[in-house]
Amino acid sequence: MSSQSQPDNSPDLRLNAIKSWIATLTARELLPESLRPASSDASFRRYFRIDDANRASFIVMDAPPPQEDVRPFVHVAKVLGDTGVSVPTILEQDVENGFLLLSDLGNTTYLQLLTPDTAHKLYMDAIEALVLMQAQSQPDVLPEYDRALLLREMMLFPDWYINKHLGLTLNEKQQATLNSIFDLLLANNLAQPQVYVHRDYHSRNLMVLSQGNPGILDFQDAVFGPITYDLASLLRDAYIQWDEELVLDWVIRYWERARRAGLPVNPDIDSFYRDFEFMGLQRHLKVLGIFARLYHRDGKDGYLKDLPLVMEYTRKVAYRYKELAPLVRLLDELENQTPAVGYTF
């Protein structure tokens, strides 16, 4: 196939365009031959590492238009950077073509280093950074995490997990049940105090740094929304699971620090924990849909192995609250399971 027939965002043409752009950054003495893949994510974005003449390394972000737009990344990098948390510095940018040169926060993610021995220190660093970021939140700086967006996310669950992944269609009664659960979760989520929300604050997007830990990546979708969202992303992580006692301990430690920082968290820890769980459930339902979509639409099967843990989180939270019992029954119906717990009404 000739290169002319390839679309503009094909990897080869994009790679050539990256090399041409790097060649224009003469002041930086970058070594084009050192360009190598760093990582890719669940979107169309890709990342490359490149060295300069002094052997310092940098990151090149490739965000091909029209699928991607680097402007939100540039904006949020400044907003979060101004709070004092560690995010990549944008050194050069070509917004038109979707190229950024960033400082390199290394290649050790939280996920790679988390063990029962390291977890407490790493999570406390992540919690300190979260409180620092949230304490400086202001309205009208980031898009609002409003009802429409929260609901659109949850709709990924019936659209992609139930319909596409399980191959099932909800009947009228089941649809009504799901709608009532969504309403319940939305009422809780929208009543929570609003702060800056990273939206993917978890072990794959936090980098282990010797100073200013953690380094924070993948923040371009940040919004102004419910205060427990990032805490739920962090502690009910789709990629790694911790004992409930540990999670509860970390939630309490976050809550204590948040109160000291003057954040408007619920003054009652039990109510705060319920907010944390309901927010987590909104996220779990969304993630079930996203992982199914990544497989069925985008051909990325690596996320299928993470579905069981997310479903386990979903069921555990739903079991704990009487008002969420209809969700447990719906999941049982969908999976043809006999309910493991009997409810009395």
Side-chain angles (χ1 to χ4, degrees), residues 281-298:
L281 184 53
Q282 186 275 350
R283 181 176 164 80
H284 305 328
L285 293 169
K286 167 177 90 164
V287 170
L288 288 168
I290 287 176
F291 285 178
R293 185 176 68 183
L294 281 165
Y295 173 61
H296 293 280
R297 188 191 69 184
D298 303 333

Side-chain angles (χ1 to χ4, degrees), residues 128-145:
E128 295 280 4
L130 188 55
V131 170
L132 177 63
M133 177 180 91
Q134 291 177 335
Q136 297 167 77
S137 305
Q138 293 175 16
D140 307 319
V141 175
L142 297 174
E144 246 186 277
Y145 211 172

Side-chain angles (χ1 to χ4, degrees), residues 263-309:
L263 281 163
V265 290
N266 197 309
D268 174 61
I269 185 61
D270 291 335
S271 301
F272 178 77
Y273 195 71
R274 182 179 183 273
D275 287 348
F276 165 80
E277 295 231 279
F278 275 50
M279 190 74 251
L281 184 53
Q282 186 275 350
R283 181 176 164 80
H284 305 328
L285 293 169
K286 167 177 90 164
V287 170
L288 288 168
I290 287 176
F291 285 178
R293 185 176 68 183
L294 281 165
Y295 173 61
H296 293 280
R297 188 191 69 184
D298 303 333
K300 298 184 177 186
D301 61 3
Y303 296 89
L304 290 181
K305 68 181 186 305
D306 302 308
L307 281 173
L309 175 56

Side-chain angles (χ1 to χ4, degrees), residues 92-257:
E92 304 282 352
Q93 52 187 318
D94 178 350
V95 171
E96 198 76 9
N97 291 305
F99 300 136
L100 298 177
L101 184 72
L102 310 169
S103 60
D104 189 352
L105 299 184
N107 49 17
T108 308
T109 65
Y110 261 47
L111 187 58
Q112 289 166 290
L113 221 63
L114 276 168
T115 67
D117 294 330
T118 62
H120 186 73
K121 171 79 171 78
L122 290 175
Y123 279 118
M124 291 319 300
D125 285 352
I127 282 168
E128 295 280 4
L130 188 55
V131 170
L132 177 63
M133 177 180 91
Q134 291 177 335
Q136 297 167 77
S137 305
Q138 293 175 16
D140 307 319
V141 175
L142 297 174
E144 246 186 277
Y145 211 172
D146 58 13
R147 181 187 175 90
L149 180 52
L150 286 160
L151 179 59
R152 193 160 71 241
E153 290 181 340
M154 284 193 292
M155 287 304 295
L156 295 168
F157 174 66
D159 291 351
W160 287 95
Y161 185 79
I162 296 176
N163 296 357
K164 290 278 194 305
H165 192 63
L166 300 182
L168 302 172
T169 305
L170 295 178
N171 62 36
E172 215 169 294
K173 183 169 176 261
Q174 291 171 326
Q175 188 63 62
T177 296
L178 195 58
N179 291 346
S180 69
I181 293 294
F182 285 179
D183 287 342
L184 199 64
L185 294 177
L186 288 168
N188 170 278
N189 301 164
L190 293 166
Q192 293 188 30
Q194 310 283 290
V195 291
Y196 291 161
V197 176
H198 176 291
R199 252 170 111 196
D200 261 326
Y201 197 75
H202 58 64
S203 62
R204 285 188 170 178
N205 290 331
L206 298 177
M207 308 303 289
V208 180
L209 303 181
S210 52
Q211 287 181 308
N213 190 59
I216 302 170
L217 303 180
D218 205 20
F219 44 69
Q220 61 281 340
D221 295 324
V223 286
F224 189 67
I227 196 164
T228 61
Y229 191 95
D230 283 340
L231 189 65
S233 303
L234 180 70
L235 300 180
R236 293 269 167 78
D237 188 327
Y239 309 111
I240 189 166
Q241 184 180 28
W242 301 99
D243 288 343
E244 290 292 333
E245 303 78 60
L246 276 175
V247 172
L248 181 57
D249 178 64
W250 289 324
V251 169
I252 292 169
R253 287 168 189 268
Y254 162 85
W255 176 76
E256 289 169 343
R257 281 163 177 72

